[in-house]
Amino acid sequence: MSNTVIVGAQWGDEGKGKIIDFLAKKVDAVVRFQGGSNAGHTVVVNNEKFIFHLIPSGILHPGKKCIIGNGVVVDPKILIAEIEDLKSRGIKVDDLYLSSQAHIVMPYHMEIERLEEEQRGEGKIGTTKRGIGPAYTDKIARRGIRVADLLERETLTQKLKINLEFLKNFYGLNLSLKNALEEYLQYGRKLKRYITDTSMLVYELMREGKNVLFEGAQGTLLDVDHGTYPYVTSSNPTAGGVCTGVGIGPTRIDKVLGVAKAYVTRVGEGPFPTEIKGEIGEILKNRGKEYGSTTGRPRRCGWFDGVVLRYAVRINGLDGLILTKLDVLDTLDKIKICVAYKYKHQVIREFPSQPRIWQECEPIYEEMEGWKEDTSKVTRSKDLPWKAKKYLKKIEEEGGVPIHLLSVGPQRGDLLVLD
């Protein structure tokens, strides 16, 4: 399988957790390269649901190294809770590794995020309020606390003093140095066995010829540089984020695969050209169980967007596509695919860079016949309804890349390998 990157090709929530769990069988290590506990990857095994916020989804496969890279911002309280939950359910976490250079999400980051969202008023972004953005802000401002600092009382004390003084002067927050210091030193002691130089670990694995799978959170249109800014996350969930988020060179990557739903969803605020409001949108939400695994918020649902797909192919250099939740469309009489946007009197086939355009554009659709058959029981790609095959072919044509895998249900085994 070589060194493969998995990224979201839409606005996140594409079902990457299940795909990574499936592909983890064929690799030696799974590496998370960005984001924080604002992500939620769901895997269903024998009707038992696992939701991962920080630990790579490959942890359910014994003997696979699961690595949290330096590009991830880590809430140690949530990470420890995930570890304990897995242990209580009989899952071993002996092969978990945490970058000593990853930055820490502190309680004051959540308070800052709450205050900033309130100040935005009607222009709020719709964050998860997990403190992710402020943690990345501290990282870039060079006042961040890193995982290694949790192991050194003197270093952590100095950094906390500086940060708490800043919070007092800038935000009017008065927080206890002693309480924060002791709490986070305790987290450091609990996590010490997992902390290492993960860049070197990944490098050694690749030098030995091992297969490594790189796991992204969120999706292309939430990338802080290339997404629908400012309605984005605070990191780079696109393929380019792998190199800086893990500490490897771009020449070490062999393949990039994008995960997309057979329709589109979005959580939070921001533009969504193909959003469906009304009965069909409710059907997709209910059949697809479209509620955020991190916040529980209902997701906005829309028709498949070929413009977004072409953009994801270009930005990530996608070699292929993995499509999820085809079965959610099974009951529909008609299915639409957006092939372009109309802005004033102009037809746009490529995703526009100007916010004014993607906020005001209208989708141009091609309508297709629904297959009105249950695809969740299909076990071979050749047995798919021909109208469903026609729909998949149209998606491939719009994106210019082949679909390699197709998900037709929530269970681990509900995946078809396409010819």
Side-chain angles (χ1 to χ4, degrees):
M1 187 173 176
S2 65
N3 302 320
T4 303
V5 177
I6 300 294
V7 295
Q10 296 163 331
W11 274 280
D13 305 307
E14 299 95 348
K16 296 182 292 298
K18 174 183 175 179
I19 301 305
I20 293 158
D21 169 72
F22 175 79
L23 296 176
K25 295 182 295 185
K26 303 178 182 180
V27 303
D28 301 286
V30 182
V31 187
R32 171 82 179 272
F33 64 86
Q34 52 75 222
S37 59
N38 55 340
H41 287 173
T42 302
V43 180
V44 180
V45 181
N46 297 325
N47 294 316
E48 186 175 4
K49 182 185 289 188
F50 296 85
I51 299 177
F52 301 106
H53 296 291
L54 289 166
I55 295 177
S57 307
I59 197 71
L60 299 178
H61 295 274
K64 310 296 181 181
K65 294 186 185 302
C66 290
I67 302 167
I68 301 172
N70 59 273
V72 180
V73 289
V74 178
D75 185 326
K77 186 175 182 179
I78 291 177
L79 178 56
I80 291 168
E82 283 193 34
I83 292 170
E84 295 303 320
D85 178 64
L86 286 170
K87 287 181 177 179
S88 71
R89 297 164 80 173
I91 306 297
K92 292 184 178 181
V93 290
D94 298 338
D95 287 314
L96 178 66
Y97 302 86
L98 172 61
S99 172
S100 59
Q101 295 176 288
H103 280 248
I104 294 294
V105 178
M106 302 294 291
Y108 51 75
H109 290 138
M110 301 170 208
E111 182 63 17
I112 291 170
E113 191 164 36
R114 183 187 66 79
L115 291 171
E116 290 180 345
E117 277 287 80
E118 286 180 358
Q119 291 170 357
R120 290 187 181 103
E122 293 183 0
K124 66 179 181 178
I125 294 171
T127 71
T128 59
K129 296 183 177 63
R130 291 293 185 101
I132 307 306
Y136 276 113
T137 297
D138 277 3
K139 176 179 179 177
I140 300 304
R142 292 167 291 187
R143 58 172 175 262
I145 293 172
R146 303 205 291 185
V147 168
D149 300 332
L150 304 186
L151 306 178
E152 299 179 6
R153 176 178 287 270
E154 183 177 347
T155 302
L156 184 57
T157 301
Q158 290 174 345
K159 287 192 171 185
L160 278 172
K161 280 182 178 179
I162 294 170
N163 287 355
L164 295 184
E165 186 67 22
F166 170 79
L167 292 170
K168 180 180 179 181
N169 294 335
F170 196 82
Y171 288 99
L173 297 175
N174 288 290
L175 303 173
S176 168
L177 170 62
K178 181 180 179 181
N179 290 347
L181 177 65
E182 296 306 323
E183 179 182 356
Y184 280 77
L185 285 173
Q186 182 181 18
Y187 292 151
R189 289 191 289 271
K190 289 184 177 181
L191 292 172
K192 184 177 180 179
R193 60 172 294 193
Y194 304 107
I195 299 171
T196 190
D197 181 347
T198 54
S199 173
M200 178 59 72
L201 174 59
V202 174
Y203 173 77
E204 292 293 345
L205 286 169
M206 292 190 297
R207 194 170 69 167
E208 293 169 7
K210 303 295 186 181
N211 296 320
V212 181
L213 184 65
F214 297 96
E215 167 185 326
Q218 290 90 35
T220 298
L221 274 296
L222 292 180
D223 187 281
V224 70
D225 285 297
H226 303 290
T228 48
Y229 190 91
Y231 303 100
V232 293
T233 193
S234 300
S235 59
N236 293 109
T238 46
V242 174
C243 298
T244 53
V246 179
I248 61 167
T251 57
R252 309 297 301 192
I253 296 172
D254 299 302
K255 184 181 294 184
V256 183
L257 299 176
V259 183
K261 280 178 182 166
Y263 49 101
V264 186
T265 61
R266 174 161 202 173
V267 168
E269 310 299 324
F272 189 180
T274 66
E275 183 173 7
I276 308 169
K277 295 183 179 180
E279 181 183 0
I280 293 179
E282 288 298 309
I283 290 173
L284 295 180
K285 183 175 69 175
N286 293 327
R287 281 184 56 81
K289 297 179 174 60
E290 295 298 352
Y291 297 89
S293 52
T294 297
T295 64
R297 291 179 296 177
R299 298 178 183 134
R300 300 150 65 191
C301 299
W303 297 116
F304 192 90
D305 194 326
V307 180
V308 164
L309 176 58
R310 285 191 290 275
Y311 184 67
V313 169
R314 175 167 64 87
I315 292 295
N316 294 289
L318 296 185
D319 297 297
L321 197 64
I322 299 168
L323 204 70
T324 64
K325 293 197 172 184
L326 182 74
D327 56 302
V328 174
L329 304 178
D330 285 350
T331 63
L332 300 183
D333 295 311
K334 303 286 184 181
I335 300 172
K336 296 179 181 180
I337 292 183
C338 173
V339 296
Y341 299 153
K342 182 178 180 181
Y343 177 69
K344 296 182 178 178
H345 300 293
Q346 182 181 4
V347 175
I348 302 170
R349 282 188 53 81
E350 297 300 329
F351 197 80
S353 60
Q354 302 96 319
R356 180 183 296 275
I357 297 178
W358 41 251
Q359 286 173 340
E360 299 178 8
C361 64
E362 297 179 7
I364 298 174
Y365 290 116
E366 286 191 16
E367 190 172 80
M368 305 183 71
E369 294 287 333
W371 43 91
K372 304 284 286 182
E373 296 181 44
D374 184 1
T375 60
S376 67
K377 301 296 190 294
V378 176
T379 57
R380 300 179 300 177
S381 61
K382 68 178 184 179
D383 295 330
L384 286 167
W386 73 267
K387 289 181 180 178
K389 291 179 182 179
K390 186 177 179 181
Y391 180 68
L392 299 178
K393 185 66 174 177
K394 179 62 179 175
I395 290 175
E396 290 180 324
E397 290 172 356
E398 290 300 315
V401 291
I403 300 172
H404 295 312
L405 278 174
L406 178 67
S407 173
V408 293
Q411 294 289 338
R412 175 185 266 178
D414 296 335
L415 282 164
L416 309 178
V417 178
L418 300 189
D419 297 330

